């Protein structure tokens, strides 16, 4: 018998790369790693643990990965809705962001982490401001994150110039490079808010640090026109022409792509963070997901910031991601429920260059979620994957583990004082006068 740190038995688990349903399942964990995943009777023959958790009505799934967000923007949730993108940004979001401080970003990030953990997200990719504060919160609450300081041509609320934001990126990378859950990325904001020189520098830094470059690409029609005016080509062709796509890139949105752009993504090192709810809410359009998948592009899923979603619930995002391409192309098979779940798990792990994430298999890190299936809207259950994508909500999640440690246990947040956090959020927002114009 091999002694392990923890054994979780559940009514069912989605095991392996293919999310195969195993009834009466168990997962054994040692040193934050999955050492067994399969039928519980076999687990009992081979493994023992002083800590056994039983969830007979639970479905064990890989932790969900939110591949694109701006976590602290939860502070602006619902502040302004139903407006054209540029009016929303210029009249509401930018003025609110101009007052951000390191402390506010820490508060917003903790609120976002509480929401994400509660809704089954174990990892997130964050591009924002004052990322030093984001890293500290992530370290403390136990989530896994890829963090990047936003790099702009102009002064951000955090740094006077893009160059200083890149210096901060290098400093953050040095500080966190040995951390088991935090990875620092290089994040030029967009091809129209980071000039060619800054983009080239950002790309050079990402290559030097062997890390991912995260940016927004082809989100709106306006961007296509603007980049066309400046560079006489589309944003994808432009980024390709200056060498940015020659090392790994995670490109958010990618709504306005044609056949040529998709071919470039497929040939180069570009993965896509598809953000369907934000794209719909900001009236940006619908990304050609089916076309990208057929071309072999790795497509992941993100909520974007809560100000344009307005939540960070990846279950809702999967539901939308599965339905949207059916409506767009009148094709019911464009993205199935399994395709949507893979975008939020294994495809995201691939984009993040982490083969040991996104699935419940021996050798993978123990980032796990239990969904309580004993609920009226989840029964009867013929197909657990379809049920997760089309019926389950984040609020059906009862337990969340990252690196084998509980962050949510039987519906209770373990690493966050939720009551105190909510009090602080309400008090701080009232003091700032956010939302009252
Ligand atoms: Zn974004």
């Amino acid at each position: 018998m091999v002694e392990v740190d923890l054994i979780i038995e559940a009514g069912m688990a989605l095991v392996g790369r293919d999310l195969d349903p195993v009834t009466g399942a168990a997962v054994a964990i040692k040193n934050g790693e999955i050492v067994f995943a399969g039928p519980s009777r076999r687990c009992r023959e081979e493994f023992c643990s002083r800590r056994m958790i039983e969830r007979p009505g639970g479905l064990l799934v890989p932790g969900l990965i939110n591949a694109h967000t701006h976590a602290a923007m939860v502070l602006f949730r619902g502040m302004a809705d139903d407006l054209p993108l540029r009016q929303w940004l210029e009249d509401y979001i930018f003025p609110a962001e101009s007052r951000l401080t390191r402390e506010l970003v820490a508060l917003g990030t903790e609120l976002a982490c509480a929401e994400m953990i509660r809704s089954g997200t174990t990892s997130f990719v964050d591009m924002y401001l004052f990322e030093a504060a984001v890293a500290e919160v992530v370290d403390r609450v136990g989530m896994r994150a890829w963090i990047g300081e936003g790099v702009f041509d102009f002064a951000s609320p955090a740094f006077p110039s893009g160059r200083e934001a890149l210096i901060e990126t290098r400093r953050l990378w040095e500080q966190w490079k040995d951390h088991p859950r935090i990875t620092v990325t290089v994040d030029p904001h967009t091809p129209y808010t980071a000039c060619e020189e800054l983009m080239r520098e950002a790309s050079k830094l990402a290559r030097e640090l062997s890390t991912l470059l995260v940016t927004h690409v082809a989100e709106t029609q306006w961007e296509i026109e603007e980049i066309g005016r400046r560079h006489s080509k589309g944003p994808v062709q432009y980024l390709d022409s200056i060498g940015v796509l020659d090392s790994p890139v995670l490109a958010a949105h990618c709504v306005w792509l044609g056949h040529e752009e998709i071919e470039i993504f497929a040939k180069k090192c570009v993965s896509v963070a598809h953000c369907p709810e934000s794209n719909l809410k900001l009236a940006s359009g619908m990304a050609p997901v089916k076309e990208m998948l057929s071309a072999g592009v790795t497509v992941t899923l993100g909520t974007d910031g809560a100000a344009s979603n307005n939540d960070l619930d990846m279950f809702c995002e999967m539901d939308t991601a599965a339905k949207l391409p059916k409506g767009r192309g009148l094709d019911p098979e464009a993205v199935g429920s399994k395709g949507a779940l893979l975008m939020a798990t294994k495809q995201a792990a691939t984009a993040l260059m982490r083969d040991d994430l996104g699935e419940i298999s021996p050798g993978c890190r123990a980032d796990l979620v239990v969904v309580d299936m004993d609920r009226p809207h989840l029964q009867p259950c013929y197909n657990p994957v379809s049920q997760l994508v089309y019926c389950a909500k984040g609020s059906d999640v009862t337990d969340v583990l990252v690196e084998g440690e509980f962050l949510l246990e039987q519906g209770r947040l373990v690493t966050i004082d939720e009551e105190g956090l909510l009090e602080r959020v309400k008090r701080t927002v009232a003091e700032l006068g956010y939302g009252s114009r």
Side-chain angles (χ1 to χ4, degrees):
M1 287 285 236
V2 179
E3 170 125 17
V4 295
D5 301 328
L6 172 68
I7 294 174
I8 308 174
E9 293 190 342
M12 189 180 275
L14 299 178
V15 173
R17 220 159 240 273
D18 252 355
L19 302 165
D20 296 322
V22 174
T23 309
V27 172
I29 298 162
K30 192 167 173 67
N31 298 326
E33 182 182 314
I34 298 170
V35 293
F36 175 90
S40 56
R41 74 190 135 67
R42 257 188 55 212
C43 186
R44 284 177 184 221
E45 284 164 16
E46 292 175 40
F47 298 92
C48 61
S49 175
R50 257 175 265 171
R51 188 147 192 228
M52 295 275 297
I53 304 287
E54 288 175 21
R55 299 285 184 267
L59 173 62
L60 254 173
V61 296
L64 303 178
I65 301 172
N66 185 345
H68 182 69
T69 191
H70 314 282
M73 287 187 87
V74 289
L75 293 177
F76 312 139
R77 188 196 324 262
M79 183 184 272
D81 298 308
D82 311 326
L83 293 168
L85 176 81
R86 298 198 63 205
Q87 190 189 348
W88 172 78
L89 270 177
E90 284 164 17
D91 293 352
Y92 293 88
I93 299 304
F94 289 159
E97 284 184 336
S98 71
R99 297 165 63 196
L100 279 177
T101 59
R102 187 185 164 115
E103 291 71 30
L104 277 173
V105 167
L107 180 68
T109 303
E110 189 171 355
L111 181 65
C113 287
E115 181 184 1
M116 287 192 277
I117 295 167
R118 278 209 165 282
S119 51
T121 294
T122 51
S123 294
F124 65 103
V125 179
D126 196 60
M127 173 205 283
Y128 208 47
L129 308 159
F130 300 102
E131 286 287 327
V134 177
E136 281 167 20
V137 172
V138 169
D139 176 45
R140 178 159 48 81
V141 305
M143 288 186 78
R144 193 183 296 284
W146 282 254
I147 62 154
E149 183 74 30
V151 176
F152 306 85
D153 284 328
F154 38 85
S156 80
F159 291 96
S161 71
R163 188 142 299 139
E164 307 242 3
L166 286 176
I167 292 170
E168 170 70 355
T169 303
R170 184 188 288 277
R171 192 195 67 75
L172 284 170
W173 188 85
E174 276 295 331
Q175 186 183 352
W176 298 100
K177 64 180 193 292
D178 298 322
H179 196 280
R181 292 179 281 101
I182 295 173
T183 306
V184 174
T185 59
V186 184
D187 292 27
H189 182 244
T190 68
Y192 62 91
T193 49
C195 68
E196 181 176 333
E197 197 192 339
L198 207 49
M199 267 291 174
R200 283 182 190 271
E201 260 187 69
S203 178
K204 194 170 146 224
L205 181 62
R207 269 193 292 263
E208 185 197 324
L209 304 179
S210 297
T211 195
L212 202 58
L213 183 139
V214 178
T215 188
H216 298 96
V217 180
E219 180 176 5
T220 61
Q221 266 178 315
W222 176 86
E223 176 185 336
I224 306 295
E225 286 157 22
E226 180 63 19
I227 296 290
R229 202 176 55 74
R230 291 191 206 175
H231 303 285
S232 310
K233 40 173 92 81
V236 173
Q237 288 85 348
Y238 158 63
L239 290 173
D240 192 27
S241 72
I242 60 170
V244 171
L245 309 186
D246 294 331
S247 63
V249 171
L250 179 58
H253 302 302
C254 305
V255 174
W256 295 94
L257 301 187
H259 180 70
E260 189 187 322
E261 285 86 355
I262 293 173
E263 281 300 307
I264 293 173
F265 277 7
K267 267 197 234 117
K268 299 290 178 117
C269 315
V270 185
S271 304
V272 170
H274 173 44
C275 303
E277 294 196 342
S278 176
N279 297 153
L280 287 173
K281 182 154 182 287
L282 293 173
S284 301
M286 295 180 274
V289 173
K290 185 189 168 189
E291 293 81 348
M292 289 193 266
L293 290 171
S294 320
V297 177
T298 300
V299 181
T300 70
L301 203 53
T303 56
D304 208 3
S308 61
N309 188 300
N310 287 358
D311 59 48
L312 305 179
D313 187 334
M314 286 291 286
F315 284 87
C316 300
E317 208 68 38
M318 289 192 292
D319 184 29
T320 306
K323 286 172 183 164
L324 194 67
K326 303 184 200 303
R328 184 177 184 271
L330 304 182
D331 174 5
E333 295 171 320
V335 174
S337 54
K338 189 169 172 183
L341 184 54
L342 285 170
M343 279 186 204
T345 54
K346 200 65 219 176
Q347 296 259 57
T350 302
L352 296 166
M353 301 179 284
R354 286 291 300 265
D355 214 28
D356 59 346
L357 295 177
E359 64 178 277
I360 305 181
S361 295
C364 287
R365 304 313 297 169
D367 293 8
L368 302 166
V369 167
V370 180
V371 177
D372 180 12
M373 300 299 283
D374 279 344
R375 299 195 174 186
H377 62 286
L378 298 176
Q379 291 298 332
C381 179
Y382 303 108
N383 176 342
V385 172
S386 145
Q387 215 79 335
L388 280 176
V389 170
Y390 294 125
C391 310
K393 304 275 177 287
S395 50
D396 298 319
V397 170
T398 57
D399 301 85
V400 173
L401 297 95
V402 172
E403 288 274 309
E405 301 288 336
F406 276 96
L407 306 188
L408 183 77
E409 188 170 8
Q410 291 190 301
R412 194 184 64 82
L413 287 171
V414 178
T415 54
I416 294 174
D417 163 22
E418 193 170 23
E419 206 181 314
L421 170 65
L422 296 177
E423 268 315 307
R424 274 189 292 137
V425 168
K426 285 187 262 185
R427 194 178 61 233
T428 305
V429 168
E431 279 167 10
L432 281 166
Y434 269 159
S436 50
R437 274 163 50 88

